[in-house]
Amino acid sequence: MLKVIGWNSLEGIVKISGSKNAALPLIAASILIKWKTKLEWIPRIGDIFTFLEILESLWTKVNFVWNTLEIDTSILSLEKLDFEKIKRIRASVLLLSPCLQRFWKIVIPFPWGCNIWKRPIDWHLEGLKNIGYEVSLWVKSTIPTIDISGNLEEGEKTINAWFWVTTTENLLMANVLRKWKTIIKLSAIEPHVMNLVDFLRKAWADIQMRFDNEIIVNWVEELSNKINFEVVSDYIEAGTFMVIWALASKDYLDIENARINDLYSFIEKLKEVWVKVKNMWNDTLRVFRVNKIKATNIQTNIFPGFPTDLQSPFAVLLSQAEWESKIHEVLFEWRLSWLVELEKMKAKINILNPHEAEIIGPTLLRWATVTSWDLRAGVSMIIAGLVANWDTLITNVEYIERGYEDIVSKLKNVWANIEKIEEII
Ligand code: EPU
């Protein structure tokens, strides 16, 4: 459990860590590199540790020191694959394509992950079927299971990724070694997808990007069996800290590795609600404390639109804005449900339907015991706690630890009053 004491005047600087959503597909892609992959700037967070344990259950050799990760996939076996851990993280779906390349078959339980309502993987499976694999879904002792096997068909194929992130990543990995040419239409182009494209290109893959979200993958005979690569910093973590600084800094705070270019639409929205920011160059952004916030409407979107993963931190900012704001969460159904936690802290919220909510502010947030619904909703409770009066207690902090590296020490370093305490059951 976390205890956060409000009314802070934070001062200092924060350095953004490596991106979770970039690191996970790169770790999966190391299975395609049939020997050594060295990845720098990997965040030490729950989802990475779980994913590495899954890789170890595949017999992969892993050496993770500070933020440098070395992986050796020269010997692999599906014999002891850890089903329990696979179920726990949604990113396990990224194992499908690289494992198919190595074994021509894979059986895994349906990956679940965070508490975000509906998350089918139909387009991953459709894309794999399209290039020749056979997919069956069945229930094994009450566990929904995915079973894929077969051989890659040759020829030119066109497949759709429907702008979904891990779908695009899986389809890229499935096709880099397929003869002859694959056109992935409606690809996601989030910064973490581009990081995977750069990694695969460095490993000799032939990938071309077109302006209309089309990716063309041409066959290469083999990939390099050794690669060193650096993960990009996490633009979602940077956006989260921008909201924290706007609401809880003394005057201003700086963010290093701020991914300013990746956050263009988010930063424009911050400016629209009167948050002042200054580009300090070298990817450092200075965010000033805001005393009066203007209400606005946001609509989440695919990149480079307003990121769904920053919807919840921004909602806390809007609870402090003058009068009525509206959130339209386009990508996920029910990803606004967590707002009931903010309501416990007396924010005035109307959830209109599974995709829309209204927030009426400004409200003096009141301390409460709240819970983390998912990773982003959990970190938003920390933000709410920092601006609330008295002590806020946050349960289910494992969700936050899955995606934010050292969040407690990063906040303590800027004088936040936050600590992890034992949960009394
Ligand atoms: N969807 C489908 N069919 C598919 C795939 C997706 O209908 O085959 C729909 C889902 O129903 C959902 C939406 O597409 O409404 C997003 O799907 P999904 O949960 O599969 O997204 P993802 O690609 O697995 C990545 C990030 C998420 C981020 C989303 C949206 C990773 C490992 N995860 O998920 O990150 O929210 O893209 O940008 O990259 C997070 O970091 O907190 C997080 C949830």
Coordinates of all heavy atoms in Angstrom, one line a residue, residues 10-57:
L10 N 6.8 20.5 -4.7 CA 7.9 19.7 -5.2 C 8.9 20.5 -5.9 O 8.6 21.5 -6.6 CB 7.4 18.6 -6.2 CG 6.2 17.7 -5.7 CD1 5.9 16.7 -6.7 CD2 6.5 17.1 -4.3
E11 N 10.2 20.2 -5.7 CA 11.3 20.9 -6.4 C 12.4 20.0 -6.9 O 12.7 19.0 -6.2 CB 12.0 21.8 -5.3 CG 11.3 23.1 -5.1 CD 12.1 23.9 -4.1 OE1 12.2 23.6 -2.9 OE2 12.8 24.9 -4.5
G12 N 12.9 20.2 -8.0 CA 14.0 19.4 -8.5 C 13.9 19.0 -10.0 O 13.4 19.7 -10.8
I13 N 14.3 17.8 -10.2 CA 14.4 17.3 -11.6 C 14.1 15.8 -11.7 O 14.4 15.1 -10.7 CB 15.8 17.6 -12.1 CG1 15.9 17.7 -13.6 CG2 16.9 16.8 -11.5 CD1 17.2 18.4 -14.1
V14 N 13.5 15.3 -12.7 CA 13.3 13.9 -12.9 C 13.9 13.4 -14.2 O 13.8 14.2 -15.2 CB 11.9 13.5 -12.7 CG1 11.0 13.9 -13.9 CG2 11.7 12.0 -12.5
K15 N 14.4 12.2 -14.2 CA 14.9 11.6 -15.5 C 14.0 10.5 -15.8 O 13.8 9.6 -15.0 CB 16.3 11.2 -15.3 CG 17.0 10.7 -16.6 CD 18.4 10.4 -16.3 CE 19.1 10.1 -17.6 NZ 20.5 9.9 -17.5
I16 N 13.5 10.5 -17.1 CA 12.5 9.5 -17.5 C 13.3 8.2 -17.8 O 14.3 8.2 -18.4 CB 11.7 10.0 -18.7 CG1 10.9 11.3 -18.3 CG2 10.8 9.0 -19.3 CD1 10.0 11.2 -17.1
S17 N 12.6 7.1 -17.5 CA 13.3 5.8 -17.7 C 13.0 5.2 -19.1 O 12.2 5.9 -19.8 CB 12.7 4.8 -16.7 OG 13.0 5.2 -15.4
G18 N 13.5 4.1 -19.3 CA 13.2 3.4 -20.6 C 11.8 3.0 -20.7 O 11.1 2.8 -19.7
S19 N 11.3 2.9 -22.0 CA 9.8 2.6 -22.2 C 9.5 1.2 -22.0 O 10.0 0.3 -22.6 CB 9.5 3.1 -23.6 OG 8.4 2.5 -24.0
K20 N 8.5 1.0 -21.2 CA 7.9 -0.4 -21.0 C 7.4 -1.0 -22.3 O 7.8 -2.1 -22.7 CB 6.8 -0.4 -19.9 CG 5.9 -1.6 -20.0 CD 4.8 -1.5 -18.9 CE 3.5 -0.9 -19.3 NZ 2.7 -1.6 -20.3
N21 N 6.6 -0.2 -23.0 CA 6.0 -0.7 -24.2 C 6.9 -0.9 -25.4 O 6.6 -1.5 -26.4 CB 4.7 0.1 -24.5 CG 3.6 -0.1 -23.5 OD1 3.7 -1.1 -22.7 ND2 2.7 0.8 -23.4
A22 N 8.1 -0.2 -25.3 CA 9.1 -0.5 -26.3 C 10.0 -1.7 -25.9 O 10.3 -2.5 -26.7 CB 10.0 0.7 -26.4
A23 N 10.3 -1.8 -24.6 CA 11.2 -2.9 -24.1 C 10.5 -4.2 -24.3 O 11.2 -5.2 -24.7 CB 11.5 -2.6 -22.6
L24 N 9.2 -4.4 -24.0 CA 8.6 -5.7 -24.1 C 8.7 -6.4 -25.5 O 9.2 -7.5 -25.6 CB 7.2 -5.7 -23.6 CG 7.0 -5.4 -22.1 CD1 5.6 -4.9 -21.7 CD2 7.4 -6.6 -21.3
P25 N 8.3 -5.6 -26.6 CA 8.5 -6.3 -27.9 C 9.9 -6.5 -28.3 O 10.2 -7.5 -29.0 CB 7.8 -5.3 -28.9 CG 7.6 -4.1 -28.1 CD 7.6 -4.4 -26.7
L26 N 10.9 -5.7 -27.8 CA 12.3 -5.9 -28.1 C 12.8 -7.2 -27.4 O 13.5 -8.0 -28.0 CB 13.2 -4.8 -27.7 CG 12.9 -3.4 -28.4 CD1 13.9 -2.4 -27.9 CD2 13.0 -3.6 -29.9
I27 N 12.3 -7.4 -26.2 CA 12.7 -8.7 -25.5 C 12.1 -9.9 -26.3 O 12.8 -10.9 -26.5 CB 12.2 -8.6 -24.0 CG1 13.0 -7.5 -23.3 CG2 12.5 -10.0 -23.4 CD1 12.5 -7.2 -21.9
A28 N 10.8 -9.7 -26.7 CA 10.2 -10.8 -27.5 C 11.0 -11.0 -28.8 O 11.3 -12.2 -29.2 CB 8.8 -10.5 -27.8
A29 N 11.5 -9.9 -29.4 CA 12.2 -10.1 -30.7 C 13.5 -10.7 -30.5 O 14.1 -11.2 -31.5 CB 12.3 -8.7 -31.3
S30 N 14.0 -10.7 -29.3 CA 15.3 -11.4 -29.1 C 15.3 -12.9 -29.4 O 16.3 -13.5 -29.7 CB 15.8 -11.2 -27.6 OG 15.1 -11.9 -26.8
I31 N 14.0 -13.4 -29.4 CA 13.9 -14.8 -29.8 C 14.2 -15.0 -31.2 O 14.6 -16.1 -31.6 CB 12.4 -15.3 -29.4 CG1 12.2 -15.2 -27.9 CG2 12.1 -16.7 -29.9 CD1 10.7 -15.4 -27.5
L32 N 14.0 -14.0 -32.0 CA 14.3 -14.1 -33.5 C 15.8 -14.0 -33.7 O 16.3 -14.5 -34.7 CB 13.6 -12.9 -34.3 CG 12.1 -12.8 -34.3 CD1 11.7 -11.5 -35.0 CD2 11.6 -14.0 -35.1
I33 N 16.5 -13.4 -32.8 CA 18.0 -13.3 -32.9 C 18.5 -14.6 -32.3 O 18.4 -14.7 -31.0 CB 18.5 -12.0 -32.1 CG1 17.7 -10.8 -32.5 CG2 20.0 -11.9 -32.1 CD1 17.9 -10.3 -33.9
K34 N 19.0 -15.4 -33.0 CA 19.2 -16.8 -32.5 C 20.5 -16.9 -31.6 O 20.9 -18.0 -31.3 CB 19.3 -17.8 -33.6 CG 17.9 -17.9 -34.3 CD 17.9 -19.0 -35.4 CE 16.6 -19.0 -36.1 NZ 16.7 -19.6 -37.4
W35 N 21.0 -15.8 -31.2 CA 22.1 -15.9 -30.2 C 22.0 -14.8 -29.2 O 21.2 -14.9 -28.3 CB 23.4 -15.9 -31.0 CG 24.6 -16.3 -30.1 CD1 24.7 -17.1 -29.0 CD2 26.0 -15.7 -30.3 NE1 25.9 -17.2 -28.5 CE2 26.7 -16.3 -29.2 CE3 26.6 -14.9 -31.2 CZ2 28.1 -16.0 -29.1 CZ3 27.9 -14.6 -31.0 CH2 28.7 -15.2 -30.0
K36 N 22.8 -13.7 -29.4 CA 22.9 -12.7 -28.3 C 22.2 -11.4 -28.6 O 22.6 -10.8 -29.6 CB 24.4 -12.5 -27.9 CG 25.0 -13.6 -27.1 CD 26.3 -13.2 -26.6 CE 26.9 -14.3 -25.8 NZ 28.3 -14.2 -25.5
T37 N 21.4 -10.9 -27.7 CA 20.8 -9.6 -27.8 C 21.2 -8.8 -26.5 O 21.1 -9.3 -25.4 CB 19.3 -9.6 -27.8 OG1 18.9 -10.4 -29.0 CG2 18.7 -8.3 -28.0
K38 N 21.8 -7.6 -26.7 CA 22.1 -6.7 -25.6 C 21.2 -5.5 -25.7 O 21.3 -4.8 -26.7 CB 23.6 -6.4 -25.6 CG 24.0 -5.6 -24.4 CD 25.5 -5.4 -24.4 CE 26.0 -4.6 -23.2 NZ 27.4 -4.4 -23.4
L39 N 20.4 -5.3 -24.7 CA 19.5 -4.1 -24.7 C 19.8 -3.2 -23.6 O 19.9 -3.6 -22.4 CB 18.0 -4.6 -24.5 CG 17.5 -5.5 -25.6 CD1 16.1 -6.1 -25.3 CD2 17.4 -4.7 -27.0
E40 N 20.0 -1.9 -23.9 CA 20.3 -0.9 -22.9 C 19.0 -0.1 -22.6 O 18.2 0.1 -23.4 CB 21.4 0.1 -23.4 CG 22.6 -0.5 -24.0 CD 23.6 -0.9 -22.9 OE1 23.3 -0.7 -21.7 OE2 24.7 -1.4 -23.3
W41 N 19.0 0.5 -21.4 CA 18.0 1.4 -20.9 C 16.6 0.7 -20.7 O 15.6 1.2 -20.9 CB 17.8 2.6 -21.9 CG 17.3 3.8 -21.3 CD1 16.3 4.7 -21.8 CD2 17.6 4.4 -20.0 NE1 16.1 5.7 -21.0 CE2 16.9 5.6 -19.9 CE3 18.5 4.1 -19.0 CZ2 16.9 6.4 -18.8 CZ3 18.6 4.9 -17.9 CH2 17.8 6.1 -17.8
I42 N 16.7 -0.6 -20.2 CA 15.5 -1.4 -19.9 C 15.1 -1.0 -18.5 O 15.8 -1.1 -17.6 CB 15.9 -2.9 -20.0 CG1 16.3 -3.3 -21.4 CG2 14.7 -3.7 -19.5 CD1 15.2 -3.5 -22.4
P43 N 13.8 -0.6 -18.4 CA 13.3 -0.3 -17.0 C 13.2 -1.5 -16.1 O 12.8 -2.6 -16.5 CB 11.9 0.4 -17.3 CG 11.5 -0.3 -18.6 CD 12.7 -0.6 -19.4
R44 N 13.5 -1.3 -14.8 CA 13.4 -2.4 -13.9 C 12.0 -2.3 -13.2 O 11.8 -1.7 -12.2 CB 14.5 -2.3 -12.8 CG 15.9 -2.4 -13.4 CD 17.0 -2.5 -12.4 NE 17.0 -3.7 -11.6 CZ 17.6 -4.8 -12.0 NH1 18.2 -4.9 -13.2 NH2 17.6 -5.9 -11.3
I45 N 11.1 -2.9 -13.9 CA 9.7 -2.8 -13.5 C 9.0 -4.2 -13.5 O 9.5 -5.1 -14.2 CB 8.8 -1.9 -14.4 CG1 9.1 -2.2 -15.9 CG2 9.2 -0.4 -14.2 CD1 8.3 -1.5 -16.9
G46 N 7.9 -4.3 -12.9 CA 7.2 -5.6 -12.7 C 7.0 -6.3 -14.0 O 7.2 -7.5 -14.1
D47 N 6.4 -5.7 -15.0 CA 6.1 -6.4 -16.3 C 7.3 -6.9 -17.0 O 7.3 -8.0 -17.6 CB 5.4 -5.4 -17.3 CG 3.9 -5.5 -17.1 OD1 3.4 -6.0 -16.1 OD2 3.1 -5.0 -18.0
I48 N 8.4 -6.2 -16.9 CA 9.7 -6.7 -17.5 C 10.2 -7.9 -16.7 O 10.5 -8.9 -17.3 CB 10.8 -5.6 -17.5 CG1 10.3 -4.4 -18.3 CG2 12.1 -6.1 -17.9 CD1 10.4 -4.6 -19.8
F49 N 10.1 -7.9 -15.4 CA 10.6 -9.0 -14.6 C 9.7 -10.3 -14.9 O 10.3 -11.4 -15.1 CB 10.6 -8.7 -13.1 CG 11.6 -7.7 -12.7 CD1 11.3 -6.6 -12.0 CD2 13.0 -8.0 -12.9 CE1 12.3 -5.6 -11.7 CE2 14.0 -7.1 -12.5 CZ 13.6 -5.9 -11.9
T50 N 8.4 -10.1 -15.0 CA 7.5 -11.2 -15.3 C 7.8 -11.7 -16.7 O 7.9 -12.9 -16.9 CB 6.0 -10.8 -15.3 OG1 5.8 -10.1 -14.0 CG2 5.1 -11.9 -15.4
F51 N 8.0 -10.8 -17.7 CA 8.3 -11.2 -19.0 C 9.6 -12.0 -19.1 O 9.7 -13.0 -19.8 CB 8.3 -10.0 -20.0 CG 8.0 -10.3 -21.4 CD1 6.8 -11.0 -21.7 CD2 8.8 -10.0 -22.4 CE1 6.5 -11.2 -23.1 CE2 8.5 -10.3 -23.8 CZ 7.3 -10.9 -24.1
L52 N 10.6 -11.6 -18.4 CA 11.9 -12.3 -18.4 C 11.8 -13.6 -17.7 O 12.4 -14.6 -18.2 CB 13.0 -11.4 -17.6 CG 13.4 -10.2 -18.4 CD1 14.4 -9.4 -17.6 CD2 14.0 -10.5 -19.8
E53 N 10.9 -13.7 -16.7 CA 10.7 -15.1 -16.1 C 10.1 -16.0 -17.1 O 10.4 -17.2 -17.2 CB 9.9 -15.0 -14.8 CG 10.7 -14.5 -13.6 CD 9.9 -14.0 -12.5 OE1 8.6 -14.2 -12.5 OE2 10.4 -13.3 -11.6
I54 N 9.2 -15.5 -17.9 CA 8.5 -16.3 -19.0 C 9.6 -16.7 -20.0 O 9.7 -17.9 -20.4 CB 7.4 -15.5 -19.7 CG1 6.3 -15.2 -18.8 CG2 6.9 -16.3 -20.9 CD1 5.2 -14.2 -19.3
L55 N 10.5 -15.8 -20.3 CA 11.6 -16.1 -21.3 C 12.5 -17.2 -20.7 O 12.9 -18.1 -21.4 CB 12.4 -14.9 -21.6 CG 12.3 -14.5 -23.1 CD1 10.9 -13.9 -23.3 CD2 13.3 -13.6 -23.6
E56 N 12.8 -17.1 -19.4 CA 13.6 -18.1 -18.7 C 12.9 -19.5 -18.7 O 13.6 -20.5 -18.9 CB 14.0 -17.7 -17.3 CG 15.1 -16.7 -17.3 CD 15.4 -16.1 -16.0 OE1 14.5 -15.8 -15.2 OE2 16.6 -15.9 -15.7
S57 N 11.6 -19.5 -18.6 CA 10.9 -20.7 -18.7 C 11.0 -21.3 -20.1 O 10.6 -22.5 -20.3 CB 9.4 -20.6 -18.2 OG 8.6 -20.0 -19.2

